[in-house]
Amino acid sequence: MSLDSDAPEIAFEDGLVPVIAQDAETDEVLMFAYATREAIEATRESGRAHYYSRSRDELWEKGATSGHVQHVREIRVDCDADAVLYRVDQEGGACHTGHRSCFYRTVDGEHVGERVFDPDDVYE
């Protein structure tokens, strides 16, 4: 994935930019996370989604532990260049709870998402 000379400069705030991961085939929103410049570059270089964990204070590759990798087809930037969209092919579930998407429940608590793996079998 390469940027052409007309590419927008991503507006990182405190070194971070919000990232949405979206299924490239279905347009389903899979997850929200943050990325640093290093995470964006690692994603571009490897073709696999990388993010920045604020709680662990480290760069991480999606699926490195679980095997539920996100293969990035395209990286988009919004009109203000202050948010990023990864269009991905998701292997397994995107959510650490075992759901296909992190957005598996409504604001009223209704369960609307599909659980695709048991996290107890994946994470120790």
Side-chain angles (χ1 to χ4, degrees), residues 1-12 37 40-45 72-78 81 84-86:
M1 292 178 220
S2 63
L3 293 176
D4 71 29
S5 60
D6 294 330
E9 182 66 31
I10 296 173
F12 293 91
R37 185 174 308 281
I40 299 285
E41 288 305 316
T43 299
R44 293 180 60 221
E45 289 171 12
V72 180
R73 285 197 200 177
E74 182 180 32
I75 301 174
R76 295 185 185 181
V77 180
D78 80 339
V84 171
L85 176 70
Y86 288 170

Side-chain angles (χ1 to χ4, degrees), residues 6-55:
D6 294 330
E9 182 66 31
I10 296 173
F12 293 91
E13 184 172 324
D14 296 326
L16 300 173
V17 65
V19 180
I20 292 288
Q22 179 183 47
D23 186 288
E25 291 294 320
T26 67
D27 292 336
E28 178 182 19
V29 174
L30 299 173
M31 59 178 276
F32 168 85
Y34 289 94
T36 57
R37 185 174 308 281
E38 179 184 13
I40 299 285
E41 288 305 316
T43 299
R44 293 180 60 221
E45 289 171 12
S46 69
R48 295 180 311 276
H50 287 74
Y51 300 98
Y52 180 79
S53 170
R54 296 180 304 161
S55 61

Side-chain angles (χ1 to χ4, degrees), residues 21 29 31 34 43 52 63 68-69 81 89 111 118 124:
V29 174
M31 59 178 276
Y34 289 94
T43 299
Y52 180 79
H68 299 170
V69 177
D89 293 317
H111 191 275
D118 183 344
E124 295 181 22

